Amino acid sequence: MEINTGKGQFYSDYNGDIPNYSSVNGISSGKRIELSDGKTVMYAYDVTNATDESIQKYVKELEKQGYIYESDTSDNEISYYSKGDIFVGLTVMGYDFNVVISKD
């Protein structure tokens, strides 16, 4: 699966740069929601499948790929990680754990 923004691809489940949460944790379910601005994609996962352990496993994979925790922009609601012009936000909203990927 690939998402194209019209300005070139910035995310693919297989590009090895932005880890896919479901692949990292062996979760087959998950729904993709592509936001309308063309620069952001959000993946939502059932919160029952997103344990603290699985979230930490994903964070370690982000860090392994070179993503840095953004303490200045993160808060109790969302944790941000960045690498170059790509930002990954992790948050729980309602009954979903969300991975939001955007590119400047």
Side-chain angles (χ1 to χ4, degrees):
M1 168 181 55
E2 294 181 358
I3 299 163
N4 294 303
T5 64
K7 296 180 182 176
Q9 174 187 326
F10 78 95
Y11 181 71
S12 165
D13 286 348
Y14 308 106
N15 72 7
D17 186 43
I18 305 169
N20 178 290
Y21 177 83
S22 59
S23 295
V24 168
N25 287 289
I27 297 170
S28 60
S29 62
K31 57 187 175 190
R32 189 192 84 211
I33 304 167
E34 188 170 357
L35 302 179
S36 61
D37 66 7
K39 296 192 306 185
T40 302
V41 64
M42 180 171 75
Y43 286 84
Y45 301 91
D46 186 310
V47 78
T48 57
N49 289 328
T51 63
D52 286 342
E53 182 180 323
S54 66
I55 294 169
Q56 288 307 313
K57 186 176 180 182
Y58 184 69
V59 166
K60 286 180 184 178
E61 190 61 32
L62 278 173
E63 291 171 344
K64 181 179 170 184
Q65 295 296 328
Y67 286 83
I68 307 262
Y69 177 71
E70 296 291 334
S71 58
D72 291 343
T73 53
S74 297
D75 58 29
N76 291 338
E77 301 291 322
I78 189 165
S79 296
Y80 287 105
Y81 294 81
S82 68
K83 179 180 172 184
D85 61 351
I86 298 174
F87 294 87
V88 179
L90 309 177
T91 186
V92 174
M93 294 189 315
Y95 296 105
D96 289 327
F97 170 68
N98 300 282
V99 177
V100 181
I101 302 166
S102 63
K103 181 175 180 175
D104 277 344

